């Protein structure tokens, strides 16, 4: 979807159709979030089971690491492909500086937090740098174009998805979750989520 956005956004921007570009960006962001959130829910709410299924039981200690990294990447999905639109707007140099400063921040934070907290510190540092990168690109995109992904319909879908995920999580904590249950939870979430949206 991101690769589709680039030529479409470039075409709309070249014709100065900014409102249509904003609407396209908002719609795409909403669909990407809707497609990604079920996977995030599994990773974030059931990290031990996910890690045990993918890599074996001895990796379940990395559950906090998976949660932190999932938060960082999910926020990027929530905000949308702001970096792509900055390129479309001809702000690639600005994006380069944001990326460079975020990389420096990541290195500094890793140096500080790994020393005290080990691998959890590394995950927290990477998540923090990723959050700063996304907030910076979002702010700059809005300053240059007034484009943002947040609409009332989008926030409703986020709220509905989060509420359903919390219900599944609280019920899931009452019974032991095995890896074979994850696909069932995944499908159940999607059915309830789509029904709620409709």
């Amino acid at each position: 979807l991101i690769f589709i956005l680039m030529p479409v956004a470039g075409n709309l921007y070249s014709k100065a159709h900014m409102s249509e570009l904003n609407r396209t960006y908002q719609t795409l962001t909403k669909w990407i979030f809707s497609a990604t959130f079920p996977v995030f829910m599994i990773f974030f709410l059931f990290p031990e089971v996910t890690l045990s299924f993918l890599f074996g039981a001895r990796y379940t200690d990395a559950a906090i690491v998976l949660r932190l990294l999932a938060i960082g990447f999910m926020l990027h999905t929530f905000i949308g492909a702001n970096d792509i639109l900055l390129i479309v707007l001809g702000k690639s140099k600005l994006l380069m500086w944001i990326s460079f400063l975020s990389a420096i921040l990541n290195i500094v934070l890793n140096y500080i937090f790994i020393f005290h907290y080990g691998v959890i510190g590394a995950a927290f540092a990477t998540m923090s740098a990723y959050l700063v990168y996304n907030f910076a690109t979002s702010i700059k995109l809005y300053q240059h174009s007034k484009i943002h992904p947040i609409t009332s319909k989008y926030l409703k879908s986020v709220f509905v998805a989060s509420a359903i995920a919390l219900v599944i999580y609280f019920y899931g904590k009452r019974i032991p979750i095995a890896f074979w249950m994850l696909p069932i939870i995944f499908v159940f979430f999607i059915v309830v989520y789509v029904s709620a949206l409709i």
Side-chain angles (χ1 to χ4, degrees):
L1 291 174
I2 297 300
F3 285 114
I4 293 170
L5 174 64
M6 179 78 86
V8 171
N11 184 41
L12 292 172
Y13 180 67
S14 67
K15 295 176 180 177
H17 294 165
M18 297 305 289
S19 61
E20 195 172 336
L21 175 57
N22 190 28
R23 191 164 50 253
T24 301
Y25 177 60
Q26 290 170 345
T27 303
L28 183 71
T29 302
K30 179 181 174 183
W31 281 108
I32 292 175
F33 172 84
S34 298
T36 308
F37 191 82
V39 178
F40 165 77
M41 182 197 71
I42 296 294
F43 283 2
F44 185 77
L45 299 181
F46 307 105
E48 295 90 354
V49 181
T50 303
L51 288 167
S52 178
F53 173 67
L54 294 175
F55 304 109
R58 61 192 181 129
Y59 286 93
T60 55
D61 290 340
I64 296 174
V65 173
L66 180 59
R67 276 185 168 148
L68 291 172
L69 293 175
I71 289 170
F73 282 98
M74 194 62 211
L75 182 78
H76 174 67
T77 303
F78 172 74
I79 290 176
N82 39 38
D83 44 5
I84 298 295
L85 283 191
L86 282 175
I87 293 172
V88 169
L89 297 177
K91 304 297 179 185
S92 54
K93 188 174 181 180
L94 173 63
L95 183 61
M96 180 197 72
W97 280 110
I98 293 172
S99 300
F100 176 74
L101 294 174
S102 298
I104 296 297
L105 177 65
N106 194 9
I107 292 168
V108 171
L109 290 178
N110 268 285
Y111 180 79
I112 294 169
F113 288 115
I114 288 175
F115 181 74
H116 294 289
Y117 304 106
V119 69
I120 294 173
F124 181 78
T126 300
M127 179 195 74
S128 301
Y130 209 61
L131 295 180
V132 168
Y133 170 83
N134 281 284
F135 279 121
T137 51
S138 295
I139 290 168
K140 288 299 179 183
L141 176 63
Y142 186 76
Q143 286 177 348
H144 289 289
S145 64
K146 303 301 179 193
I147 291 176
H148 64 87
I150 309 300
T151 63
S152 60
K153 287 183 180 179
Y154 184 36
L155 291 178
K156 283 179 187 176
S157 68
V158 172
F159 175 76
V160 168
S162 302
I164 295 169
L166 286 175
V167 170
I168 290 172
Y169 176 70
F170 285 122
Y171 277 103
K173 294 304 276 185
R174 296 184 178 188
I175 57 172
I177 301 292
F179 72 87
W180 61 268
M181 298 170 80
L182 292 182
I184 297 170
I185 293 170
F186 184 80
V187 171
F188 176 75
F189 173 83
I190 290 174
V191 170
V192 174
Y193 178 53
V194 170
S195 301
L197 288 180
I198 291 171

